[in-house]
Amino acid sequence: MTGPSDDIVVLASGGVDSAILVADQAAHGRIVHPLYIRFGLAWERVEEAHLRRFLHALPDQSLVRPLNVLELPIADVYGTHWSVSGTDTPDDTTPDEAVYLPGRNLLLLAKTTVWCALHEVQRIALGTLRGNPFTDSSRQFLSGLADLAGLALGHQLEVLTPFSELTKAEVLELGEGLPLEHTFSCVAPVGDQHCQTCNKCAERRKAFADAGIEDRTSYATG
């Protein structure tokens, strides 16, 4: 097998971390394939629209390929989980663990690894941050899954987490100057806007404040 190319898949949501990761990997000279997976979660329509606007507004798109969208419906597994129903979403008083989505990275990577094998891409990047409390973001899990998928597909794979030693505020500092107002971090959108009161909105607002960067996000209240 030849050595890895400069291509990389970035699992991109509209979230600020993965959006900045797209620009960061392109700035490092890699050909970036942004990939969005639709699970059928309550916020995805708004999230995907924001992501498309962010990618379109990037100041340098020369190494960023068009967005790929894959379908992986999860409602039959998640049932009445808040992420599907849109009710009882974790608010700004809840801990980070409240927004856990069962098997999130397992599901994301299962389909992405097959896409990579079919398109001769060997690297996948996630926007995992320092202090992520979920076991499916651990290095042990990500390395093990890459090895297992590579064995199944006969294709060498590597899952990278370039931001794993950074806080959200530090990632925002890396992305200062990018069109961050088009990123999306909300689990209870109001129309096309951030709700301002959910767990993820609270995390976003704090990160902008900690980074000392103007938050140009459009919030529905306040």
Side-chain angles (χ1 to χ4, degrees), residues 3 7 38 93-94 99 101 118 124 127 161 163 176:
D7 291 49
R38 294 177 185 147
T93 66
T94 59
V99 294
L101 299 176
L118 294 174
I124 303 167
T161 52
F163 295 161
E176 190 170 11

Side-chain angles (χ1 to χ4, degrees), residues 41-43 80-95 98-99 101 186-190 195 197-201:
L41 305 181
W43 58 86
T80 58
H81 191 269
W82 61 265
S83 62
V84 175
S85 67
T87 59
D88 297 321
T89 55
D91 64 18
D92 54 6
T93 66
T94 59
V99 294
L101 299 176
C186 177
V187 293
V190 177
C195 71
T197 59
C198 74
N199 175 287
K200 299 302 290 184
C201 280

Side-chain angles (χ1 to χ4, degrees), residues 53-115:
R53 287 195 290 270
F54 174 83
L55 295 174
H56 181 72
L58 281 175
D60 182 2
Q61 302 174 31
S62 59
L63 293 179
V64 180
R65 297 297 178 258
L67 180 66
N68 289 287
V69 177
L70 305 180
E71 304 281 351
L72 188 59
I74 198 65
D76 53 351
V77 176
Y78 275 13
T80 58
H81 191 269
W82 61 265
S83 62
V84 175
S85 67
T87 59
D88 297 321
T89 55
D91 64 18
D92 54 6
T93 66
T94 59
D96 290 344
E97 289 77 6
V99 294
Y100 176 63
L101 299 176
R104 173 71 165 178
N105 282 347
L106 175 64
L107 294 165
L108 284 169
L109 291 166
K111 200 157 192 176
T112 302
T113 54
V114 178
W115 188 96

Side-chain angles (χ1 to χ4, degrees), residues 2-82:
T2 60
S5 71
D6 288 331
D7 291 49
I8 189 167
V9 164
V10 171
L11 278 166
S13 66
V16 67
D17 312 317
S18 61
I20 291 173
L21 185 57
V22 170
D24 176 78
Q25 290 299 295
H28 282 82
R30 288 179 170 167
I31 299 169
V32 180
H33 301 266
L35 194 150
Y36 185 86
I37 297 184
R38 294 177 185 147
F39 289 99
L41 305 181
W43 58 86
E44 286 181 345
R45 179 191 62 80
V46 182
E47 181 179 64
E48 183 183 338
H50 275 72
L51 174 59
R52 290 183 182 278
R53 287 195 290 270
F54 174 83
L55 295 174
H56 181 72
L58 281 175
D60 182 2
Q61 302 174 31
S62 59
L63 293 179
V64 180
R65 297 297 178 258
L67 180 66
N68 289 287
V69 177
L70 305 180
E71 304 281 351
L72 188 59
I74 198 65
D76 53 351
V77 176
Y78 275 13
T80 58
H81 191 269
W82 61 265

